[in-house]
Amino acid sequence: MKARIHAAVWALLLVASGCSAGSSATVAKDPGTLAIGYTAEPANFDFTRTDGAAIPQALLYNVYEGLVKLDANAKIVPLLAESWTISEDRKTYDFKLRKNAKFSNGAPFTAEDVKFSLMRVKTDWTVSIKSTMDVVDRVDVVAPDHARVVLTKPSNGWLFSLTSRLGAMFSPTGVADLANKPVGTGPYTVSSRRRGDSIVLKENPAYWGRKPAYSTVVLKYIKDPTALNNALLSNGIDVISAITVPDSIPQFQSDDRFTVVEGTTNSEVTLAFNNARPPLNDVRVRKALSYAIDRKALLDTAWAGRGTLIGSMVPPTDPWYEDLSNAYPFDPAKAKALLAEAGQPHPTLRLRIPNLPYAVSAAQVVSSQLADVGVTVTIEPLDFPAVWLKQVFTDRDYDLSIIQHVEARDIVTFGRPKYYWGYDGKPVQQNLAKADSGTPQEQIDAMRQVARRLSEDAAADWLFLFPNVIVAKSKVTGFVRNQVSESFDLTGLAPR
Amino acid sequence: MTVKIVRRVAILVASVLVASIVVFLFMAVLPGDPAQVALGVNATPELVAKTRAEFGIDRPLVTQYFDWMGGVLQGDFGRSYVTREEIGPALTDRLGVTLWLVGAGMLVALLIAIPAGTFAAVRHRKADGTALSGLSQIGVAIPAFLAGIILVQIFAVQLRWLPSGGWTPPVQDPGEFLRGLVLPALSLGLVQGAVLTRYVRSAVLDTLGQDYLRTARSKGLRPFQALFRHGLRNAAVPVVTVLGLQLSTLLIGAVVVERVFVLPGLGSMLLDSVASRDLLSVQGIVLVLVVGVLLVNFVVDVLYTVLDPRLRGS
């Protein structure tokens, strides 16, 4: 008797589980549906209170829109603002807004919403990047289609950050449950989600702009790279948003069912030096390490030769990019000489890395190349993110580390002496400030100075820039080749 | 009987309590601050401190533990640090997927093991019986994830008959649901089937040697007939024991298979929650798993008494 009761409970659980599990995420065979595979899943839909790249990747430009956006060439172009002007003192921005834009809950988009959204960053957001909005003094509603933003000091960084999630426009009537119910003005709305599996975006019928070519987009979340590749090979998805194992690329290139789109990212794989602690507080030691590493060989080993050697914290899509990759050509003899000069011929260094594939394979190359010049490197893989964040990033308990720095224009972190680089250089800080407040040309000149100075100081060793590799079925076109914004922009995708 | 069940329930409750304390302490000593992980690399120390307070992880451990257990006893598992949703409903949702997987895997295993094991036992002196038990030896050595990878390569990537992963709930589209369940259930079930085949074989062999079967044979029944009429129920007792034990390994296998086939079950939730130091979620999941395993043992115990009348007296 008891056994029967338990069997019944078991059966009930099975049935109940089937019923409670959300709705619709099948990849339909109809041509209006596109399924895209991603590796990192959004924890929730609220990027105002939850950090990480996955939420804006899914929602920005697709569900939420800002006044401006970054186009494929990393240029700031109009979105909800038709145009804008900047005052002489570079502190007042006048945005002329689109008149026909609407939120997905029906509320019209007006200058009131601009004021609400921008001021809300200061009061309600908790993610750390919100500090870029501190320069906003006030927002004036001049007319329903005219918003005026007044800054406390000129800031180019501010306008740029409007292209990120910080510039997303919210309606006061649509922020009640951001974690679960996003309300934006974009071409898509969130239709359903199954945690651990997928998010379904559906076309927003009231969208002000051009109708998207795909009426339904299924964002499939597949953490394991092999499973992700298999899903594309077996028709489970149509697109892999970013390849995370380079060895699998040739397999797709040789198969005419697929197209491989290669571009750049903002993601610098950096060998971080702890500038604040001996022996790496000595510039000669840092230079020695830079000379000792053959970055071309490292790129071949760690990422199958794909990626770009950059030599600085600047990707080619930034206006002030210059190729500094030859600043420290591979020269073991020079490395040994510099180490001897610094009185550190045989230092022992702790290379504390996140336990991620690219870091582990790069670390082995770094360690063996440094051994050739007499440096003993002990590799310590740390659980990422939790342990690495605590010990290397927060406590700065490391000599060397290897990590991707994925954020746009993150070269500004070298202006913060308390950042984990431990780099404290007045010229860099001054030039960063000058770049932020100057005209576009002044900005470019000052940023070049910053990159050059960091290279001269060997503040870190920029191993390579991560490539952006998208693989898709040949019939899908319109991808943004370079991953420069926070968004995986779905708006340009179309069947061939 | 009643005394026995009461004793079993008491053991169950005590085990759950001990497990909850162990899990709680383990998570507390793991390096990595949940607030820092949730906020990312640019968080200021002030913001981290504020978030720690919001999560309540700045309080003494004892307070945190009793707060958590108090909630769980009322069915409230708390709100996830990372997803900001109620953990309880998320748990039932994920548990459903895992139960389907484990159930289907077990079904596949039994469908393989009972006929194969019986056959191998009855014909244990013949070439085909020996070959079958040899085959099961090989099957035992293959880990479930490897079986999964091979199955995906053949049936999803090459032949494109079945999806390589993903989950469709049965209520939404029963056809898609079954198609998606085939490969994961096979990769779990094939290996388990091989393991069980060996137990079924030795249990049946054991039964075949019993006097009452010899009596049945002497009355003119063929070996299979004798076995089906008189022996299988007796052979079932040791097999049910093993089945209970194997359910726990099946659960562990399910964690891996969920990753290979991208199924949103309890296993993948556990891995994600550990990585993001989502302590409350981890505690909740482990507690559910512990209760699950203990419940299975409980059921096995009860089944014993049903299958074997000799055990009812004690």
Side-chain angles (χ1 to χ4, degrees):
Chain A
M1 192 58 202
K2 283 276 181 267
R4 265 184 224 140
I5 292 173
H6 277 281
V9 169
W10 208 255
L12 265 180
L13 255 174
L14 287 177
V15 174
S17 62
C19 299
S20 59
S23 67
S24 163
T26 333
V27 180
K29 305 287 174 274
D30 84 272
T33 298
L34 187 73
I36 307 181
Y38 300 84
T39 42
E41 184 186 5
N44 57 54
F45 290 129
D46 186 1
F47 54 58
T48 75
R49 287 169 171 266
T50 309
D51 212 338
I55 314 176
Q57 182 180 52
L59 300 187
L60 196 65
Y61 303 171
N62 302 324
V63 173
Y64 287 112
E65 294 179 311
L67 298 174
V68 289
K69 76 183 264 188
L70 273 189
D71 72 1
N73 304 311
K75 207 169 146 263
I76 301 174
V77 295
L79 191 56
L80 282 173
E82 278 176 341
S83 62
W84 64 94
T85 55
I86 306 169
S87 68
E88 197 71 24
D89 65 358
R90 305 193 64 78
K91 292 206 300 198
T92 306
Y93 288 70
D94 280 279
F95 292 98
K96 191 160 178 315
L97 310 177
R98 284 188 204 282
K99 290 196 188 76
N100 52 348
K102 252 193 217 162
F103 287 96
S104 58
N105 65 359
F109 167 72
T110 68
E112 288 290 349
D113 301 307
V114 178
K115 180 174 182 176
F116 170 74
S117 303
L118 295 182
M119 297 316 282
R120 193 172 177 275
V121 177
K122 289 189 186 186
T123 53
D124 282 59
W125 288 46
T126 62
V127 293
S128 44
I129 55 161
K130 71 173 194 155
S131 57
T132 345
M133 284 288 155
D134 292 350
V135 300
V136 176
D137 179 47
R138 62 174 202 275
V139 181
D140 297 334
V141 178
V142 183
D145 63 343
H146 183 176
R148 176 175 293 155
V149 181
V150 182
L151 306 184
T152 53
K153 61 177 185 167
S155 172
N156 292 311
W158 175 76
L159 185 65
F160 182 78
S161 65
L162 275 196
T163 66
S164 74
R165 66 194 110 155
L166 286 170
M169 288 295 134
F170 296 90
S171 163
T173 58
V175 292
D177 187 10
L178 286 177
N180 299 299
K181 294 196 172 54
V183 176
T185 59
Y188 289 101
T189 58
V190 173
S191 153
S192 68
R193 93 161 296 178
R194 179 165 313 112
R195 199 174 290 292
D197 184 76
S198 58
I199 293 170
V200 179
L201 302 182
K202 285 248 195 286
E203 179 187 354
N204 171 8
Y207 185 53
W208 59 270
R210 198 164 58 91
K211 203 174 133 72
Y214 293 101
S215 57
T216 305
V217 179
V218 182
L219 315 178
K220 290 282 273 180
Y221 293 98
I222 303 176
K223 190 160 281 168
D224 179 66
T226 316
L228 187 60
N229 291 347
N230 286 338
L232 182 61
L233 290 168
S234 64
N235 280 332
I237 54 174
D238 303 302
V239 180
I240 294 176
S241 65
I243 289 276
T244 55
V245 277
D247 303 338
S248 65
I249 298 171
Q251 163 191 13
F252 293 111
Q253 275 172 330
S254 62
D255 189 332
D256 56 14
R257 286 183 291 160
F258 306 110
T259 332
V260 176
V261 180
E262 283 195 67
T264 63
T265 62
N266 285 326
S267 181
E268 305 92 354
V269 178
T270 309
L271 174 63
F273 299 150
N274 192 341
N275 285 257
R277 222 161 66 170
L280 287 156
N281 58 353
D282 185 329
V283 66
R284 291 168 298 187
V285 176
R286 299 199 299 268
K287 285 187 171 179
L289 301 191
S290 304
Y291 279 118
I293 292 167
D294 181 353
R295 281 167 293 274
K296 179 76 186 70
L298 181 138
L299 179 59
D300 288 343
T301 313
W303 244 76
R306 289 168 199 274
T308 317
L309 301 179
I310 42 174
S312 73
M313 197 75 173
V314 184
T317 39
D318 279 344
W320 40 86
Y321 169 75
E322 21 178 16
D323 183 0
L324 297 174
S325 61
N326 285 319
Y328 296 94
F330 180 50
D331 190 344
K334 202 160 180 180
K336 279 187 201 161
L338 276 165
L339 285 173
E341 194 189 317
Q344 290 281 350
H346 299 292
T348 298
L349 301 174
R350 287 194 307 159
L351 174 53
R352 311 194 77 196
I353 53 166
N355 59 344
L356 300 172
Y358 72 89
V360 172
S361 50
Q364 279 153 3
V365 181
V366 166
S367 144
S368 85
Q369 292 185 340
L370 290 186
D372 292 345
V373 298
V375 180
T376 309
V377 172
T378 52
I379 301 177
E380 296 175 30
L382 306 177
D383 191 23
F384 188 82
V387 182
W388 185 88
L389 271 181
K390 170 86 179 101
Q391 301 192 348
V392 175
F393 190 82
T394 310
D395 297 346
R396 276 168 269 158
D397 179 15
Y398 78 106
D399 298 316
L400 306 170
S401 185
I402 296 175
I403 188 114
Q404 291 185 61
H405 281 264
V406 296
E407 260 126 27
R409 305 193 175 172
D410 43 17
I411 190 171
V412 297
T413 54
F414 283 97
R416 298 182 208 149
K418 286 193 172 153
Y419 203 72
Y420 88 113
W421 312 118
Y423 178 84
D424 189 358
K426 285 282 168 295
V428 163
Q429 288 159 28
Q430 285 159 0
N431 272 318
L432 283 172
K434 207 158 111 191
D436 200 29
S437 60
T439 62
Q441 191 52 48
E442 285 164 353
Q443 183 186 23
I444 289 173
D445 293 342
M447 290 304 273
R448 281 216 173 116
Q449 292 303 320
V450 171
R452 284 182 199 160
R453 182 57 190 251
L454 290 175
S455 172
E456 275 163 36
D457 283 349
D461 190 20
W462 295 275
L463 300 176
F464 63 96
L465 186 74
F466 235 67
N468 185 43
V469 185
I470 302 170
V471 183
K473 294 211 180 128
S474 303
K475 61 173 194 202
V476 191
T477 62
F479 294 101
V480 177
R481 182 170 295 272
N482 299 323
Q483 181 61 47
V484 285
S485 74
E486 290 189 298
S487 156
F488 190 92
D489 195 339
L490 303 170
T491 56
L493 302 188
R496 191 184 293 281
Chain B
M1 187 89 175
T2 325
V3 177
K4 195 183 164 193
I5 289 183
V6 169
R7 200 195 300 140
R8 289 288 311 174
V9 171
I11 293 173
L12 197 131
V13 171
S15 316
V16 170
L17 276 181
V18 171
S20 71
I21 294 171
V22 170
V23 172
F24 185 84
L25 290 179
F26 252 113
M27 288 311 288
V29 298
L30 262 191
D33 179 353
Q36 175 80 62
V37 175
L39 292 168
V41 292
N42 292 315
T44 57
E46 297 76 47
L47 194 56
V48 173
K50 208 175 124 193
T51 310
R52 287 177 61 86
E54 190 197 327
F55 288 171
I57 48 177
D58 54 348
R59 299 168 305 161
L61 276 182
V62 179
T63 320
Q64 288 185 51
Y65 174 77
F66 280 106
D67 214 41
W68 172 59
M69 257 336 254
V72 168
L73 289 177
Q74 294 162 44
D76 176 14
F77 284 78
R79 202 172 269 277
S80 157
Y81 300 156
V82 178
T83 65
R84 311 262 168 165
E85 64 176 6
E86 291 282 342
I87 293 167
L91 275 176
T92 25
D93 221 40
R94 298 297 193 104
L95 181 64
V97 177
T98 303
L99 286 184
W100 274 115
L101 179 61
V102 171
M106 190 51 103
L107 188 69
V108 171
L110 287 176
L111 286 179
I112 293 170
I114 292 175
T118 312
F119 187 86
V122 173
R123 302 189 54 97
H124 71 283
R125 292 214 177 85
K126 307 274 164 41
D128 49 4
T130 317
L132 200 59
S133 65
L135 202 65
S136 73
Q137 291 282 7
I138 298 172
V140 171
I142 300 175
F145 77 90
L146 187 62
I149 290 171
I150 295 170
L151 287 172
V152 166
Q153 273 305 321
I154 298 171
F155 293 103
V157 174
Q158 297 302 328
L159 298 171
R160 276 175 250 149
W161 289 350
L162 293 163
S164 64
W167 176 255
T168 317
V171 282
Q172 184 195 320
D173 184 344
E176 261 320 291
F177 161 72
L178 284 177
R179 271 166 49 81
L181 196 60
V182 171
L183 292 184
L186 274 182
S187 41
L188 255 191
L190 283 179
V191 179
Q192 283 301 317
V195 174
L196 279 181
T197 299
R198 296 166 65 221
Y199 285 107
V200 172
R201 178 177 173 273
S202 65
V204 173
L205 264 182
D206 216 39
T207 315
L208 284 176
Q210 302 286 332
D211 291 339
Y212 61 87
L213 266 202
R214 233 171 277 145
T215 315
R217 290 286 308 277
S218 66
K219 285 196 295 185
L221 290 179
R222 293 161 167 279
F224 275 113
Q225 279 177 327
L227 194 63
F228 285 128
R229 293 211 189 143
H230 304 284
L232 275 192
R233 190 180 164 112
N234 289 293
V237 177
V239 172
V240 165
T241 321
V242 173
L243 217 59
L245 291 174
Q246 287 302 106
L247 256 181
S248 339
T249 40
L250 214 56
L251 264 180
I252 295 162
V255 172
V256 182
V257 168
E258 278 172 20
R259 203 26 71 115
V260 173
F261 289 97
V262 205
L263 301 175
L266 219 49
S268 49
M269 184 180 177
L270 181 64
L271 292 183
D272 290 345
S273 304
V274 171
S276 57
R277 292 298 185 273
D278 194 352
L279 304 189
L280 275 186
S281 294
V282 175
Q283 287 163 210
I285 299 164
V286 175
L287 202 62
V288 166
L289 287 174
V290 168
V291 171
V293 170
L294 292 172
L295 268 182
V296 167
N297 288 346
F298 185 86
V299 171
V300 168
D301 244 28
V302 176
L303 273 183
Y304 267 169
T305 40
V306 175
L307 284 170
D308 193 342
R310 282 171 296 179
L311 295 172
R312 279 187 203 153
S314 60

